[in-house]
Amino acid sequence: MSTPVAPHEFSPWDFWREADAAQQEAQLERQRVLVDGHPERSLGDLCFVSELASVDHDALRLGDRTYIAAGAYLTGELVAGTDCSINPYTVIRGRVTLGDAVRIGAHTSILGFNHSMEPGTPVFRQPLTTRGIVIGDDVWIGSHAVILDGVTVGSHSVIAAGAVVTKDVPAGAIVAGNPARFLRRRVEPEDAEPLSSGAPASDSSSLGERVVRFGERVRADASSILVRSWRDETRSFVDRPGAAPTVRAQADAIEIADLLTRSAPPQIPADEQIRRLHAWQDLTTGAVAPLGPDGHQRSGLDFSDEDVAYHVLSTGYGLDLLGSEFPAELTWVTEATPESVVEFCRGLPWETDAWKAGHHVDGFGTALLWTKKAGVAVPDGVEEALFGWLLLNADPRTGMWGSPTVDRGLLPVVNGFYRASRGTFAQFGVPLPHPERVVDTVLRHADDPRWFAPGMRNACNVLDVAHPLWLTRSAGHRSDEVRTLAERLLSDALTTWVPGEGFGFREPSATTRGLAETEPGLQGTEMWLAIVWYLADILGIAGELGYRPRGVHRPEPAAALGAIV
């Protein structure tokens, strides 16, 4: 005889009140297996995941008291708030965000992806596309409903059983049918909560007035931000309370102090900080290795390591702001040849991970900068090989390098372009080869809700849009659209500052609260302050901020190509 299925597998809402100790421990073990080794997965308290559900997510976050019943089939990226129910045989695939208290009836399909269907190619060979689905708080979705990719469902709404939802549902609405149509309101418009990023709505003041007040606020908060991330016991900075010291945190503290106070962080004398940064550089190779969990530098790493490559930027600009420089040559440049530079550029993963490729070009370009500023001779042809390869290999259709990917679209291309162009064309004041195509690509990318819907934006993705648009502003291409985007991003960014603490790396929202990346820290603060400056400068109001980046995100070229500075 087969073992009967426990009723809680299909009806889990009373599990934590009714299950015995052995059943509860088995459920907790099931959750540990789902989460262990998967940093992109997290489950809140008193969640339930049925043994009979298929849960195979790239990323999964469940709020407290959210449950998944038997027969559910879940893949892709799911972020769910508290008190959500995913009932038997529900299918949730692709990129889906649920607010708090979302109830999903049995046999419902929420499909945050789609197939292309251009003629001439079988559908099964065509790439998948993903726009994502966002569902607000307190939403009831009836059994056998279908919600298609790209839809936003407003808070307090009701999706009737069997409805096929192909377009956005207003907050508080009741919809039904195929395709779903508005029936009536569950909540009147004046009482409905709009879908929100979690930040307070902006006031009626002009954006320029808000920028003035923001600049005053952040300068007043500079001291408390640095104090919050300082650790007396190690005499070092951490990104945020509870984090371990890192090389980048020391540099971010220097950048923030310089940006907002035009001085070094008062917690440690500038000469002591210089000595520490000098001591971290390997005098043989010039590399700065990351710190391990014990606070000591890791060994055996060279410039091919992502952290080592970035430390050329963070440590180099930290020293520059303190009036110093690297004590040792950067052999990444001084031992290069034109042939090795071309081989280096060709060998980067432009087609599979253009961000990583751009990251290493940024590091090499900045190593070239510090070599020139130190008065050290750059081997003949190295600069020409780097810029020549980039100029010859820029895609005239996008103005960028590399290719979109099926799962991330243009994200790696645009982010990789920012990194590669920042460390080369921007840093040395060289004109871009296809500025109008860059604008087209960035605007197309900024329409992707996976990265730019409220609650989905982070500092990396927004900076990597803001800087290229600023860098290409003199082209005047699609300037009205650029300004509209800049106004929206800037207005939203101003609302996410936490007084006395700064910016989180990722903007907060109802569905992202509790994530470590939304907690204010030095990295998020330094990056978002730069973002605010670039967006404000696109709009002609950066002068109202009272600060201007002078480090990694400085707007002016740091050196002239072909000249020793």
Side-chain angles (χ1 to χ4, degrees):
M1 294 179 59
S2 60
T3 303
V5 176
H8 288 133
E9 299 293 334
F10 285 88
S11 305
W13 42 85
D14 291 325
F15 175 82
W16 292 105
R17 288 198 304 271
E18 298 178 352
D20 60 32
Q23 290 172 317
Q24 292 187 12
E25 181 54 36
Q27 173 59 206
L28 292 174
E29 177 60 22
R30 159 84 166 149
Q31 295 183 26
R32 282 193 288 270
V33 170
L34 276 175
V35 171
D36 285 353
H38 298 277
E40 70 283 359
R41 298 179 182 177
S42 66
L43 305 181
D45 295 333
L46 302 180
C47 287
F48 180 91
V49 181
S50 172
E51 292 278 359
L52 303 177
S54 176
V55 180
D56 184 24
H57 281 94
D58 299 323
L60 172 68
R61 179 172 181 266
L62 303 183
D64 297 344
R65 301 174 301 281
T66 288
Y67 60 79
I68 300 171
Y73 174 37
L74 286 73
T75 67
E77 301 179 24
L78 173 63
V79 176
T82 60
D83 300 299
C84 295
S85 60
I86 300 170
N87 275 302
Y89 303 106
T90 294
V91 175
I92 302 179
R93 304 189 66 195
R95 188 183 185 96
V96 177
T97 299
L98 309 178
D100 295 334
V102 176
R103 296 317 224 205
I104 303 173
H107 296 277
T108 287
S109 295
I110 302 176
L111 306 174
F113 74 100
N114 211 334
H115 277 283
S116 300
M117 51 183 179
E118 288 78 8
T121 303
V123 170
F124 82 94
R125 294 190 182 278
Q126 302 219 17
L128 297 178
T129 61
T130 301
R131 298 170 59 201
I133 293 171
V134 177
I135 297 173
D137 299 332
D138 181 34
V139 174
W140 179 18
I141 302 171
S143 296
H144 293 276
V146 177
I147 301 177
L148 299 183
D149 189 32
V151 165
T152 294
V153 178
S155 296
H156 313 297
S157 55
V158 175
I159 311 298
V164 178
V165 183
T166 61
K167 60 184 179 180
D168 292 353
V169 176
I174 299 174
V175 300
N178 180 7
R181 293 180 175 82
F182 175 82
L183 294 182
R184 61 183 176 85
R185 282 201 166 271
R186 176 190 172 213
V187 178
E188 291 304 313
E190 60 268 23
D191 296 326
E193 293 180 2
L195 207 60
S196 169
S197 67
S202 62
D203 58 31
S204 59
S205 304
S206 72
L207 190 55
E209 292 171 333
R210 293 175 60 206
V211 164
V212 171
R213 292 201 301 273
F214 174 80
E216 294 169 348
R217 172 79 269 178
V218 299
R219 292 195 301 278
D221 283 347
S223 177
S224 59
I225 291 168
L226 295 171
V227 168
R228 179 175 180 265
S229 288
W230 174 253
R231 292 295 167 265
D232 278 327
E233 61 273 20
T234 58
R235 291 190 61 74
S236 60
F237 288 97
V238 296
D239 181 68
R240 59 186 184 277
T246 61
V247 174
R248 178 166 186 162
Q250 316 317 306
D252 283 338
I254 294 168
E255 295 247 8
I256 292 168
D258 181 84
L259 190 68
L260 300 181
T261 71
R262 281 296 185 261
S263 62
Q267 285 77 12
I268 179 171
D271 58 351
E272 182 181 339
Q273 183 71 295
I274 290 170
R275 286 195 298 273
R276 170 179 287 172
L277 297 179
H278 281 177
W280 280 340
Q281 190 188 28
D282 185 303
L283 297 181
T284 302
T285 67
V288 177
L291 306 181
D294 60 357
H296 295 97
Q297 283 184 285
R298 296 168 57 194
S299 60
L301 299 178
D302 58 21
F303 291 105
S304 64
D305 179 80
E306 288 184 12
D307 285 335
V308 174
Y310 190 75
H311 292 162
V312 175
L313 281 67
S314 60
T315 306
Y317 270 106
L319 287 167
D320 189 60
L321 291 172
L322 294 174
S324 185
E325 60 187 17
F326 281 120
E329 292 182 5
L330 296 162
T331 58
W332 200 4
V333 168
T334 59
E335 295 183 0
T337 65
E339 292 77 15
S340 71
V341 171
V342 171
E343 182 180 357
F344 160 71
C345 291
R346 284 177 176 168
L348 294 171
W350 297 106
E351 300 306 312
T352 57
D353 192 348
W355 176 88
K356 181 181 290 186
H359 175 90
H360 287 283
V361 168
D362 192 1
F364 185 82
T366 307
L368 179 64
L369 167 70
W370 302 131
T371 301
K372 292 165 65 66
K373 286 180 74 71
V376 176
V378 175
D380 290 343
V382 163
E383 294 175 72
E384 292 83 354
L386 175 63
F387 280 86
W389 192 93
L390 292 172
L391 286 166
L392 289 173
N393 287 277
D395 187 338
R397 298 167 299 178
T398 65
M400 301 183 180
W401 303 277
S403 300
T405 61
V406 172
D407 57 334
R408 293 184 294 166
L410 284 167
L411 181 70
V413 176
V414 174
N415 287 10
F417 173 81
Y418 161 68
R419 294 301 308 275
S421 64
R422 191 220 71 86
T424 55
F425 293 89
Q427 196 160 236
F428 290 95
V430 178
L432 291 168
H434 307 289
E436 293 186 353
R437 300 294 77 75
V438 169
V439 174
D440 292 339
T441 304
V442 169
L443 291 177
R444 185 163 69 253
H445 170 58
D447 280 336
D448 192 331
R450 291 178 294 174
W451 323 115
F452 291 93
M456 297 297 175
R457 294 170 291 212
N458 66 37
C460 182
N461 296 346
V462 179
L463 176 63
D464 297 359
V465 160
H467 186 270
L469 292 179
W470 180 88
L471 194 60
T472 57
R473 67 199 185 284
S474 62
H477 184 57
R478 301 175 68 177
S479 58
D480 289 345
E481 295 170 78
V482 170
R483 288 182 61 85
T484 297
L485 175 61
E487 288 172 354
R488 174 166 58 85
L489 293 175
L490 176 59
S491 180
D492 289 350
L494 296 180
T495 66
T496 61
W497 179 265
V498 179
E501 298 183 5
F503 283 113
F505 179 76
R506 181 171 177 175
E507 66 179 13
S509 71
T511 55
T512 60
R513 62 174 174 260
L515 290 177
E517 60 185 350
T518 65
E519 182 182 349
L522 297 181
Q523 179 182 354
T525 299
E526 190 275 326
M527 292 183 71
W528 279 105
L529 287 174
I531 290 166
V532 167
W533 188 91
Y534 278 109
L535 294 172
D537 202 55
I538 289 171
L539 300 171
I541 54 177
E544 308 298 329
L545 284 167
Y547 69 77
R548 184 184 183 91
R550 299 200 309 159
V552 172
H553 300 116
R554 60 178 291 167
E556 299 86 6
L561 195 63
I564 297 296
V565 179

